[in-house]
Amino acid sequence: FLYIGGGAEVYRLNATNVSHQLDNFSTSADIEGGVSVNEQYVYTTNRNGRIYQLNVSNVSQLIALNEGLGAEVSYATPVIYEDSVYVGSDSNNLYQFNASNVSQLFNRFDTSQDITASVAAAHGYIYMGSHDNILYQLNASNISVQHANLTVGGDIDNQPMVNDHYVVIHSDDGKLWQVNASNVSQVIGTRLLKTNTGSQITSPIAANGRLYVADDSYNIHIVGDLAPINDTPQDTTPPNVTNLNVTQPGGPNQGGMV
């Protein structure tokens, strides 16, 4: 099945023929993030600051609802990890809900600015960027416990990329930051991709030893390695960075498939 949010609706479609809609659920406002799916449930949020938990076999069936996000959820998709669901909102808070019943709030972590991107979960931690220019590393079992943080040069409005060793994020001063996944306060390397402040760059994606990011000028940047991603002293576009131009930007990921 294919699960997707559009307008204020969540749809369940036939994955082999998406013209065949199986069922749908109407929320109270537009869904600007995406949907997340596990074996039992579908989770989504909307601009009214609500998180919905739906039956994965029939999304018209509401399992649980929590209206306590405090403000709209801009583009953050709920992230499922272990027994929790995590989502940030424009109320400057990250929330940890019970994945079996989202009406139950486990914990909350406060920042000083909006959280507009999804978090990343790995290694027992939650990695989160905020518009307060800080990358946070929180205890996944209890997000009120902070393990480490790093202040960067601009807003972080993209989901961190995490592998076995590193976390990579982009800040809106045009820079990629590569940090230690065990302690994000330890910077491994940085790379300047764009010189204009406020540059919008997608969440980094790693594959086959390379790092891929796209920007708001329709360019795809390919960083040749992750060991480390430092700039050379005088050159902010080293030889192992390739810039590819595409015709139009893609939209946010708003679907899930099982």
Side-chain angles (χ1 to χ4, degrees):
F1 303 106
L2 177 68
Y3 301 83
I4 189 166
E9 305 287 323
V10 177
Y11 300 94
R12 183 170 68 108
L13 308 176
N14 187 330
T16 59
N17 181 358
V18 295
S19 66
H20 182 200
Q21 179 183 317
L22 300 171
D23 36 68
N24 70 286
F25 180 84
S26 297
T27 75
S28 61
D30 286 350
I31 300 167
E32 292 191 334
V35 299
S36 297
V37 184
N38 64 14
E39 293 180 353
Q40 294 180 291
Y41 305 117
V42 177
Y43 306 90
T44 195
T45 58
N46 69 2
R47 293 189 65 179
N48 278 355
R50 299 176 178 181
I51 181 168
Y52 296 84
Q53 178 183 356
L54 309 175
N55 186 337
V56 75
S57 300
N58 183 346
V59 297
S60 68
Q61 298 177 2
L62 177 66
I63 303 300
L65 168 69
N66 197 307
E67 302 178 273
L69 290 174
E72 72 174 88
V73 178
S74 295
Y75 298 105
T77 298
V79 170
I80 308 163
Y81 185 67
E82 303 295 346
D83 62 351
S84 298
V85 178
Y86 307 84
V87 67
S89 82
D90 290 359
S91 66
N92 309 343
N93 294 303
L94 177 69
Y95 299 90
Q96 178 185 2
F97 297 101
N98 184 341
S100 298
N101 182 353
V102 297
S103 66
Q104 180 183 0
L105 176 67
F106 280 158
N107 293 289
R108 185 180 74 181
F109 183 83
D110 301 339
T111 73
S112 62
Q113 293 291 332
D114 298 352
I115 302 166
T116 58
S118 302
V119 303
H123 315 308
Y125 298 112
I126 299 298
Y127 302 92
M128 174 190 70
S130 171
H131 282 211
D132 61 5
N133 302 6
I134 298 176
L135 172 66
Y136 296 92
Q137 180 180 4
L138 310 176
N139 186 324
S141 299
N142 181 350
I143 60 169
S144 66
V145 178
Q146 181 178 178
H147 179 72
N149 70 69
L150 176 72
T151 299
V152 298
D155 296 350
I156 304 170
D157 51 14
N158 55 89
Q159 184 179 30
M161 188 287 297
V162 186
N163 66 12
D164 289 343
H165 305 288
Y166 307 122
V167 178
V168 180
I169 56 98
H170 167 258
S171 55
D172 77 351
D173 59 354
K175 186 178 289 187
L176 284 176
W177 296 77
Q178 177 188 18
V179 301
N180 187 337
S182 298
N183 186 336
V184 299
S185 67
Q186 299 174 3
V187 177
I188 306 299
T190 63
R191 183 180 293 274
L192 184 65
L193 294 184
K194 297 191 72 175
T195 57
N196 53 310
T197 300
S199 300
Q200 297 297 310
I201 293 185
T202 62
S203 300
I205 296 175
N208 301 319
R210 294 188 174 187
L211 192 69
Y212 301 83
V213 290
D215 65 33
D216 54 6
S217 298
Y218 308 165
N219 294 304
I220 298 174
H221 303 265
I222 305 173
V223 180
D225 60 72
L226 286 171
I229 62 170
N230 279 327
D231 292 324
T232 54
Q234 285 82 34
D235 186 2
T236 59
T237 309
N240 65 342
V241 176
T242 303
N243 300 324
L244 304 177
N245 188 266
V246 295
T247 56
Q248 60 183 5
N253 178 13
Q254 292 196 340
M257 183 178 294
V258 294

